Amino acid sequence: MAGPFPWSSLRARTRGVPPPPRRPDGGGHGPQPPDTGQAPPADAARPVPTNRRVRLVVEVLDDPDEVARATEALAAQPGWTVRPAEERDGVTPQTRCTVLVVDVAARGAKRTAVGSVREKAARLAEQRKIAMWVRRAWLHLPVRAPDVTVVHVHRTTPAGAGPLRSWLWRQWIAVGGADTHHTLLLPGPPDPDPEVDKRRARAELVGRDVIGAEPFDPATHDVRLSVGPRPAVHTSQRRLITHLLLTVAFVVAMAGCGMVLAAGASPWRFAVLLPAAALVWPVGRWTTSNEPRPWVFRLSVGLVLTGSIVFLGFLWHSRRPGGLSAQLVALLPALLVVFTVLGVWHAVAHSWFSRNVHWLLPVLVAPLPFVLPWAGSFLHSVYLEDGLGIPANSVHIAFYWHYAAALEPLATAAGLALVFVACTGWARYFDWQMGAGGLIPWSAPLLIAVFAVTLGSSTLDEVADAAERAARDTRSGQRPGSYYGLQGELVCVRPLEKGKALPVHGGPAPVGHPVLTFKPEGDTVWVWDPDPARGRDATRHAVRLRAEDIELLPARRGTCP
């Protein structure tokens, strides 16, 4: 059977360039790596997640076998590249030693990246029994991108436009509505004089046709700078600190104006807006001062910046009227949520779970529709049978209450488990003993297991406490509270035929005083009798009656009529 048509060769021939030689096996063009007879590792094609780069200078015993084993072991680590040291590295090897330079793609905190990589290299040498050791390790600082000046190309005011249309067009140019979506990045920081940067941009654009872009015509096009403050001629640390302090003071003052506006009730409270109104023009003018712009645009920018901060302060106080102390206390749950979310992200990002979530998540979620109602019915059974002695199948409970009863402990367990996972994620981020023999990988599952057992025990204790409260309320003649669809009622038992003995299971018929009952299911009615003569065991107070022999009347103020 003929192979696929060589489209790449056809395209190359049509351009007058001979195609590259094909491989002898017909698999493709160009040079190919040698066939070693082994399948590539599973992680070879997977990109290594990294946010740090660490350089290691490793010394190996000057023996060909030892150097080969060290190079193979170091290069086998994901994201590690190895090369022999060169003169530009500035490393003088010791006697009978060969120096290797290792470039490591690491991930985690900046403070612990170097120590973590150095420990991994030392652990690798110990495990593989290789005579190598780390001589130097440092964090590879990324090269900062050069400063650029962003210039946008826009259309000018149409010829023959009247005064009103020209004014509107200038506002439209200021907000970027007339841009041609052609951006030019000039090398170097912005010049204090905006005309210098504009002349540079025009000189680069005029007479040069860019494929796919609208040609620049000086008669109908011009350039503008991105909105920003005027660049400083001399930048010092003291100037930066002064700008930072002024910015913080401005934000605090504007937010304070909004909070005072929300807290006051007098019409004079609107006077706090006067300082904000006075700062609208200075703020807008400074924010857009890198080139001349229409005063309406500057005023609008100042109004948006000032008014948004005032509005946020107003919302902050109106939604949390408990005072500053209560608002600060309310920040603690928010900080816990942020801590948990970021920690869980560090735990699952670029991990086994994130690589297999497409099948693991359905496997975890699929049993929930079956497990939740079973767990809810189990809790209802504990409440009725273990707490009050009433069989669970004799009480009618809507099916959705089984889900509700199980969701609360499940949500609590999931939330607290996420906190443990977040702690593991932060430990992973800071490289706190996250190796295979570290403390965190072994202690975290154990803590989660202990927590699950503790939560299950505490949930059962809460169910028992709810049943005990229901019994206590019944003894005092009060209607007990509900427990996920189980709403007890105080009723009075009255025989349908006076003078006839009632068939009762569980002792004498509770007549003459209120008893507790739930919505019955079937032909029998179970009631809970608060009579102290039945003993201290609450389960012995349950009494079964036949529904056709009695009528149940609601109790009035804890007594029977």
Side-chain angles (χ1 to χ4, degrees):
M1 181 177 180
F5 190 85
W7 295 102
S8 58
S9 300
L10 178 61
R11 287 193 296 267
R13 291 190 184 98
T14 56
R15 299 188 185 121
V17 180
R22 296 185 61 87
R23 286 167 41 191
D25 58 357
H29 295 287
Q32 300 292 332
D35 186 7
T36 61
Q38 299 179 357
D43 295 338
R46 184 182 304 151
V48 178
T50 177
N51 60 350
R52 304 278 183 261
R53 285 181 61 188
V54 178
R55 285 285 180 85
L56 297 179
V57 174
V58 180
E59 289 187 343
V60 189
L61 185 64
D62 193 8
D63 179 77
D65 295 336
E66 206 73 15
V67 174
R69 291 188 60 195
T71 303
E72 180 184 3
L74 293 172
Q77 303 302 310
W80 292 32
T81 58
V82 187
R83 63 173 176 83
E86 301 175 358
E87 184 179 356
R88 60 188 176 89
D89 295 316
V91 180
T92 303
Q94 299 183 15
T95 306
R96 299 185 59 188
C97 286
T98 300
V99 181
L100 302 176
V101 177
V102 186
D103 194 340
V104 180
R107 181 176 179 84
K110 182 178 180 180
R111 293 181 178 273
T112 58
V114 175
S116 174
V117 172
R118 189 180 68 250
E119 291 176 3
K120 289 180 182 178
R123 192 183 309 117
L124 183 64
E126 182 179 359
Q127 292 174 352
R128 302 290 182 89
K129 307 304 179 184
I130 304 174
M132 69 175 182
W133 48 90
V134 178
R135 181 174 177 182
R136 188 191 305 175
W138 69 93
L139 188 67
H140 186 277
L141 299 179
V143 179
R144 182 181 176 183
D147 294 333
V148 295
T149 303
V150 181
V151 180
H152 302 276
V153 180
H154 67 84
R155 300 179 183 87
T156 58
T157 305
L164 179 60
R165 186 181 178 186
S166 300
W167 183 84
L168 293 175
W169 194 264
R170 287 194 298 270
Q171 315 305 320
W172 188 241
I173 293 174
V175 300
D179 289 355
T180 61
H181 309 290
H182 188 172
T183 303
L184 182 63
L185 282 75
L186 300 176
D191 194 274
D193 185 4
E195 292 300 326
V196 175
D197 294 325
K198 288 185 176 182
R199 285 195 296 267
R200 293 171 56 199
R202 295 189 190 101
E204 187 168 339
L205 291 170
V206 173
R208 299 185 182 182
D209 294 336
V210 181
I211 299 177
E214 184 177 346
F216 183 84
D217 185 1
T220 58
H221 295 86
D222 203 353
V223 294
R224 67 173 184 88
L225 302 180
S226 295
V227 177
R230 182 189 297 273
V233 180
H234 302 289
T235 303
S236 61
Q237 185 177 5
R238 181 177 180 181
R239 185 184 183 91
L240 294 176
I241 294 176
T242 302
H243 284 176
L244 178 61
L245 294 178
L246 289 177
T247 303
V248 172
F250 167 74
V251 172
V252 172
M254 295 301 99
C257 291
M259 296 176 68
V260 172
L261 183 64
S266 171
W268 292 100
R269 70 182 186 278
F270 292 100
V272 299
L273 296 179
L274 294 177
L279 289 175
V280 167
W281 174 251
V283 170
R285 183 178 180 182
W286 177 82
T287 307
T288 62
S289 59
N290 60 342
E291 73 167 337
R293 288 185 172 87
W295 66 269
V296 175
F297 177 75
R298 292 186 169 186
L299 188 66
S300 301
V301 171
L303 183 62
V304 169
L305 293 177
T306 306
S308 59
I309 301 176
V310 173
F311 184 66
L312 288 177
F314 178 85
L315 286 182
W316 174 268
H317 191 276
S318 59
R319 296 297 178 89
R320 304 290 302 179
L324 182 60
S325 59
Q327 295 174 11
L328 293 178
V329 172
L331 285 177
L332 297 179
L335 294 178
L336 179 61
V337 170
V338 173
F339 170 84
T340 304
V341 170
L342 295 179
V344 170
W345 170 257
H346 289 314
V348 303
H350 306 291
S351 64
W352 178 88
F353 181 85
S354 63
R355 293 191 295 268
N356 299 275
V357 68
H358 60 283
W359 65 264
L360 185 60
L361 191 60
V363 169
L364 295 177
V365 174
L368 289 182
F370 307 97
V371 174
L372 286 179
W374 176 86
S377 61
F378 174 76
L379 296 178
H380 284 140
S381 300
V382 173
Y383 178 87
L384 291 171
E385 298 188 15
D386 290 356
L388 302 174
I390 300 175
N393 56 3
S394 65
V395 178
H396 175 74
I397 307 173
F399 73 94
Y400 50 83
W401 284 113
H402 294 321
Y403 290 89
L407 275 178
E408 182 182 0
L410 180 63
T412 304
L416 295 180
L418 287 179
V419 174
F420 283 107
V421 175
C423 295
T424 305
W426 285 111
R428 178 190 179 192
Y429 180 74
F430 288 104
D431 296 300
W432 292 336
Q433 300 188 17
M434 289 304 298
L439 178 64
I440 299 299
W442 294 99
S443 62
L446 180 61
L447 289 176
I448 293 177
V450 172
F451 159 73
V453 174
T454 305
L455 182 64
S457 177
S458 62
T459 301
L460 295 178
D461 291 341
E462 291 179 1
V463 176
D465 292 341
E468 185 178 352
R469 288 194 301 269
R472 186 168 57 250
D473 293 340
T474 304
R475 293 189 184 98
S476 60
Q478 300 178 1
R479 186 191 185 197
S482 63
Y483 177 78
Y484 295 106
L486 289 174
Q487 178 59 64
E489 300 290 346
L490 294 181
V491 298
C492 297
V493 178
R494 177 182 294 180
L496 291 178
E497 299 181 9
K498 296 183 179 181
K500 181 180 178 181
L502 294 175
V504 179
H505 174 75
V511 180
H513 58 273
V515 294
L516 177 66
T517 187
F518 298 91
K519 190 175 182 180
E521 179 83 13
D523 298 333
T524 59
V525 178
W526 283 83
V527 298
W528 193 85
D529 186 7
D531 188 0
R534 295 183 180 272
R536 302 182 60 181
D537 188 0
T539 59
R540 295 182 177 272
H541 289 239
V543 179
R544 185 182 67 180
L545 302 169
R546 293 193 308 182
E548 64 269 17
D549 297 333
I550 61 172
E551 63 175 343
L552 301 178
L553 302 176
R556 297 179 179 178
R557 298 180 181 180
T559 59
C560 290

